[in-house]
Amino acid sequence: MNIHEYQAKELFEKFGVATPKGKVAATAEEAGAAAREIGGTGLVVKAQVHAGGRGKGTFTNGFKGGVHVINTAEEAQEIAGKMLGQTLVTHQTGPEGKLVSKVLIAKSVDIAKEHYFAILFDRSTSRHAIIASTEGGMNIEEVAEKTPEKIIKEFVHPTLGLQAYQCRKIAAALGLRGALMTQAVKLFTALYKLYIQSDCSLVEVNPLAITTDNQVVALDAKFNFDDNALYRQKDIVTLRDTSEEDPREVAASEFGLSYIGLDGNIACLVNGAGLAMSTMDIIKFHGGEPANFLDVGGGASKDQVAAAFKIILGDPNVKGILVNIFGGIMDCNVIATGIIAAAQETGLSLPLVVRLEGNNVAAGKETLAQSGLAITGADDLTDAAQKIVAAVAAA
Ligand code: GDP
Ligand code: MN
């Protein structure tokens, strides 16, 4: 799960991570009022979307930049008016961009230097890792690619946690001395505490700014939370903005299904993540393109199967469906009943290939055969993939 920058700022404040004061606004008038409330000159208006690269982004109305430094409340109102309700395209949003329905108005700071600072979970070492760089700002991906020696890495011991000496080491590597080092160490420590206590899988601050009056402040915030920990993060869950997520994935999560939308035209409905991955592979191997990853889990109910079908059919790119079920815990006949219910309810007219194997398979196949629906049976994975690829190519 991700959150917006304005929400991240609230977490920063709660945990004592230094960040300029800000207010969120949903209309141009609110933006003007927020600017007046924050007061003074030197403010920044920032489009709130779940994507980075906003500074260099462009709105579909031609307006350039999702981050603008301004001076008056009138300007805040005017800039907010150009952003709100518009779609912002950045290198992270994809060409379709993201709709901006809120802007952040924050106190602007005068930047002397932009660093990069992130905490994330590193799977290769099974440790939380600190990634930092003096080359902060807007192009960290390029820094990592072209000058990897400028990326500082520090791994956190799982039981000891982030140590003060490690914070000092990172601050020193960023060239921070004296009072700046003290502030940086305080900020890193607070951020690590926030990261652990909120079950984050990523906190990225880019830029971590050094101001001309020698303050260390977090100017941007990108958060990822571990979905498997959300059950114990009730406050974090309230920050979820489902309008930023793929609607198909939102619907799937309501039914406890693991669904990831893809760009192809062959939908798959599979039980088990490993089998779902192999199903996508074999579709590709036979020249097709999967429209999704969908794992209905080990013990899906008839209703879950029906819901899965409806989500699949909600994707206009889908031209055919492959159901691949290996019934271990799953009863093949439950799947068959779910498929039929969904096919009847949705008036399914797309080619449908079903491969069932395992627990109660004979009854499942019998149920499908008796349904009178145009379902193509398949005996193994290769057979199933070849049949659906051929059916979609013919359609
Ligand atoms: P991103 O492009 O989505 O990563 O958005 P950021 O919040 O990182 O903003 C992009 C850039 O705008 C930063 O790298 C800064 O150079 C600049 N910026 C952001 N906030 C301020 C600010 O308060 N004052 C000034 N002068 N520049 C800012
Ligand atoms: Mn940034």
Side-chain angles (χ1 to χ4, degrees):
M1 192 193 109
N2 303 328
I3 57 172
H4 288 291
E5 181 188 14
Y6 77 90
Q7 297 167 319
K9 265 180 122 62
E10 287 165 17
L11 289 176
F12 280 175
E13 275 160 26
K14 194 169 144 198
F15 282 83
V17 177
T19 190
K21 193 174 152 55
K23 271 190 82 78
V24 69
T27 65
E29 291 69 31
E30 276 176 35
R36 264 184 289 276
E37 201 182 312
I38 296 167
T41 56
L43 296 162
V44 59
V45 184
K46 306 176 82 171
Q48 297 297 287
V49 288
H50 283 187
R54 294 166 301 168
K56 293 193 170 166
T58 306
F59 290 86
T60 40
N61 63 356
F63 186 60
K64 281 211 167 12
V67 178
H68 283 258
V69 177
I70 46 115
N71 283 312
T72 64
E74 288 66 40
E75 271 180 288
Q77 182 160 341
E78 186 198 326
I79 301 286
K82 288 183 179 153
M83 293 181 175
L84 289 163
Q86 302 298 325
T87 300
L88 176 63
V89 180
T90 83
H91 67 89
Q92 287 188 7
T93 61
E96 70 282 6
K98 280 192 173 284
L99 179 70
V100 178
S101 46
K102 289 195 172 92
V103 294
L104 169 73
I105 314 296
K107 191 102 193 102
S108 169
V109 296
D110 289 328
I111 303 171
K113 173 82 187 130
E114 295 188 315
H115 295 290
Y116 176 91
F117 186 88
I119 311 174
L120 51 87
F121 186 68
D122 179 59
R123 287 176 198 282
S124 60
T125 56
S126 305
R127 291 186 176 206
H128 299 299
I130 311 290
I131 309 289
S133 178
T134 53
E135 309 306 300
M138 295 194 256
N139 281 320
I140 195 67
E141 291 88 350
E142 209 178 299
V143 176
E145 201 176 308
K146 294 193 180 144
T147 48
E149 70 282 3
K150 290 190 171 161
I151 304 281
I152 304 157
K153 286 186 193 163
E154 188 70 25
F155 296 94
V156 183
H157 189 280
T159 56
L160 297 178
L162 182 65
Q163 300 287 297
Y165 83 87
Q166 293 182 298
C167 294
R168 287 195 294 273
K169 193 171 146 193
I170 300 157
L174 293 176
L176 305 174
R177 306 272 180 270
L180 286 179
M181 179 181 278
T182 309
Q183 288 183 55
V185 169
K186 185 166 170 258
L187 190 147
F188 300 164
T189 310
L191 205 57
Y192 184 73
K193 191 171 165 198
L194 162 56
Y195 170 91
I196 293 292
Q197 290 194 0
S198 308
D199 286 313
C200 299
S201 50
L202 169 79
V203 173
E204 184 187 60
V205 177
N206 187 26
L208 173 74
I210 311 302
T211 67
T212 49
D213 57 351
N214 288 319
Q215 302 294 313
V216 181
V217 290
L219 273 203
D220 187 15
K222 183 171 167 36
F223 275 70
N224 284 342
F225 297 91
D226 181 349
D227 289 347
N228 293 317
L230 290 177
Y231 74 95
R232 63 179 188 190
Q233 293 291 345
K234 304 274 184 293
D235 294 350
I236 300 294
V237 174
T238 62
L239 305 177
R240 185 171 173 193
D241 179 356
T242 50
S243 75
E244 288 278 337
E245 297 173 26
D246 184 326
R248 300 171 298 180
E249 290 173 20
V250 175
S253 71
E254 278 164 22
F255 286 91
L257 305 162
S258 302
Y259 174 96
I260 312 285
L262 301 167
D263 303 331
N265 57 10
I266 299 178
C268 12
L269 188 158
V270 189
N271 67 325
L275 190 58
M277 297 294 279
S278 356
T279 305
M280 298 191 309
D281 280 349
I282 203 154
I283 288 172
K284 278 191 95 91
F285 183 76
H286 290 288
E289 285 293 335
N292 65 278
F293 166 96
L294 174 55
D295 172 14
V296 295
S301 66
K302 173 173 158 274
D303 289 345
Q304 276 178 306
V305 174
F309 244 85
K310 283 182 205 153
I311 291 162
I312 282 176
L313 292 172
D315 177 351
N317 292 332
V318 169
K319 298 286 176 280
I321 304 169
L322 172 55
V323 175
N324 184 17
I325 299 294
F326 185 83
I329 303 167
M330 180 82 84
D331 180 334
C332 289
N333 201 29
V334 169
I335 292 286
T337 332
I339 293 171
I340 292 165
Q344 283 167 344
E345 246 179 85
T346 55
L348 180 72
S349 58
L350 297 174
L352 169 61
V353 174
V354 179
R355 180 255 179 169
L356 290 179
E357 194 53 86
N359 180 12
N360 211 12
V361 65
K365 283 186 174 171
E366 182 61 22
T367 303
L368 291 178
Q370 295 295 321
S371 71
L373 294 167
I375 297 171
T376 309
D379 294 321
D380 59 38
L381 219 55
T382 299
D383 183 35
Q386 284 170 339
K387 279 177 174 159
I388 192 65
V389 170
V392 167

